[in-house]
Amino acid sequence: MKLFLMTLCILFTLGCSNTPSSDEWITLFNGKDLDDWTVKIHHYEAGHNYGNTFRVEQGMLKVRYDQYDFSDEFGHIFYKTPFKNFHLSVDYRFSGEFEDNAPSYALLNSGVMFHSQSAGSQNKEQNWPVSVEMQYLADLGDGKRTTGNMCSPGTNIVFNGKVYPKHCLQSSKKALPKDQWVTAELIVKDSKITQLINGEVVLVYSNPTIDANDQTVKGAAAEFTQGGKALDSGYIGLQSEGQPIEFRNVRIKLLE
């Protein structure tokens, strides 16, 4: 009996040591390659990194369009594992010249998608993943923009106790200049989402669900258009929208 109990204790200890605690940061992007990530670009099958859009250079994950003429090849690169409750931290920096053929709203615009469908579940002609986005914007020089916003392709969220009726919800943080590194954090705990820019809480909302009436996403499979279905977990994806951008220090804490 003593031997049995000792064996259980050892197994329990080993099991706990392999489970990341909320105090441990897990690196998602290793600065060397994209082995743990899958690209999905509009008009192309999952896994096809058209035009080398997503690439690793100088330890950064870069988004570039120098090998094709961008028009509507909106893309994302998704980490291999879905997450439920987590604290995500990403450094981003806008750089380079905006693609002239891209829509004007995409100027100095990118983001991170979460609670998203996977790359492989998206149809070839699907333009956006059903997900929630923490949107990143850079200042256009007029001081009107904010960053750390929320956008909701194919989804709804609750803000101030009500379903928010618009596609994007502005944060309280003024957008920062181009070519400046910014740290964006996303804390998702149960149904509550908290967004931070450079350590400052800029937006809080909750209860993401699928919106069957949303017209933003085109070409999604029926299982991702079930109105009212709660989104309490999913994949994390970094965005390509026509504006060159760099990402680094992509890491996550798992929350119990």
Side-chain angles (χ1 to χ4, degrees):
M1 186 65 179
K2 289 182 179 179
L3 179 61
F4 174 73
L5 291 174
M6 288 176 64
T7 302
L8 283 180
C9 288
I10 292 170
L11 290 174
F12 178 78
T13 302
L14 289 174
C16 288
S17 67
N18 289 327
T19 303
S21 73
S22 59
D23 294 328
E24 294 178 334
W25 283 108
I26 304 167
T27 298
L28 301 187
F29 169 57
N30 61 20
K32 300 176 181 178
D33 54 53
L34 301 176
D35 288 352
D36 293 330
W37 298 76
T38 302
V39 174
K40 175 61 180 79
I41 296 176
H42 187 206
H43 306 307
Y44 299 91
E45 300 288 355
H48 185 177
N49 188 12
Y50 175 69
N52 196 26
T53 299
F54 296 92
R55 62 188 73 168
V56 179
E57 295 176 350
Q58 301 169 314
M60 296 177 285
L61 197 167
K62 295 185 177 182
V63 176
R64 294 292 186 267
Y65 310 99
D66 52 7
Q67 297 181 22
Y68 64 101
D69 293 324
F70 184 95
S71 57
D72 65 344
E73 294 83 3
F74 306 116
H76 302 82
I77 185 166
F78 294 91
Y79 189 68
K80 64 182 180 181
T81 305
F83 296 100
K84 184 178 178 69
N85 295 319
F86 60 87
H87 181 172
L88 177 73
S89 181
V90 179
D91 292 346
Y92 71 87
R93 178 179 68 179
F94 290 103
S95 63
E97 298 302 319
F98 180 63
E99 293 295 304
D100 291 338
N101 293 327
S104 59
Y105 67 77
L107 175 62
L108 296 175
N109 184 344
S110 189
V112 59
M113 324 304 279
F114 67 98
H115 283 358
S116 173
Q117 59 181 120
S118 67
S121 70
Q122 296 173 55
N123 292 323
K124 180 179 178 181
E125 294 300 326
Q126 185 173 335
N127 55 349
W128 302 100
V130 174
S131 57
V132 185
E133 176 188 357
M134 182 180 183
Q135 183 192 53
Y136 309 149
L137 296 176
D139 183 36
L140 297 177
D142 55 12
K144 294 181 179 180
R145 278 182 153 189
T146 57
T147 191
N149 307 315
M150 184 289 308
C151 294
S152 53
T155 56
N156 281 319
I157 59 96
V158 172
F159 180 65
N160 287 338
K162 299 179 181 179
V163 174
Y164 187 71
K166 298 181 181 180
H167 176 59
C168 290
L169 171 62
Q170 286 190 324
S171 80
S172 61
K173 182 67 175 179
K174 290 294 184 182
L176 300 164
K178 177 187 172 185
D179 298 314
Q180 177 175 325
W181 282 107
V182 180
T183 298
E185 296 175 78
L186 180 65
I187 300 174
V188 179
K189 187 66 169 70
D190 299 325
S191 62
K192 181 181 178 182
I193 297 101
T194 304
Q195 299 183 175
L196 302 91
I197 295 293
N198 289 342
E200 174 187 349
V201 174
V202 299
L203 190 61
V204 179
Y205 55 94
S206 65
N207 298 93
T209 57
I210 291 178
D211 181 2
N213 299 315
D214 181 85
Q215 299 300 310
T216 307
V217 177
K218 309 293 185 184
E223 65 181 297
F224 299 105
T225 60
Q226 299 174 16
K229 181 179 179 181
L231 290 179
D232 59 2
S233 65
Y235 291 81
I236 289 171
L238 304 175
Q239 191 176 81
S240 158
E241 202 169 16
Q243 171 69 53
I245 189 172
E246 289 97 43
F247 300 100
R248 69 181 185 186
N249 297 330
V250 184
R251 54 191 189 141
I252 200 167
K253 286 182 183 181
L254 304 183
L255 305 180
E256 296 298 333

